[in-house]
Amino acid sequence: MGIGGCIILLAVGAILAFGVDWHLAGVNLTVVGVVLMAAGLVGVVVYARVLGRRRYLGRGVDEVVVEEHRHHDVL
């Protein structure tokens, strides 16, 4: 899931936790909202760590391209 999906989870979770006063039988929307916000937050943190690691590994490393040419002599 990308950063956009994580932000959507955070937004939907906040709406369910703080902005909705519906009452469904057997479902606590506040708890569902908090769980969605937690999942979105974990996703953002994991995504930032992976993206940061990729950026860190890419710095200071020069890419060296080695091309090998084989010459085949046909008699």
Side-chain angles (χ1 to χ4, degrees), residues 3-15:
I3 192 79
C6 295
I7 292 173
I8 289 172
L9 278 178
L10 280 168
V12 170
I15 290 169

Side-chain angles (χ1 to χ4, degrees), residues 1-43:
M1 177 177 356
I3 192 79
C6 295
I7 292 173
I8 289 172
L9 278 178
L10 280 168
V12 170
I15 290 169
L16 287 176
F18 306 118
V20 174
D21 60 353
W22 299 332
H23 299 285
L24 298 175
V27 177
N28 188 346
L29 291 179
T30 303
V31 173
V32 172
V34 170
V35 169
L36 287 176
M37 287 191 306
L41 184 62
V42 167

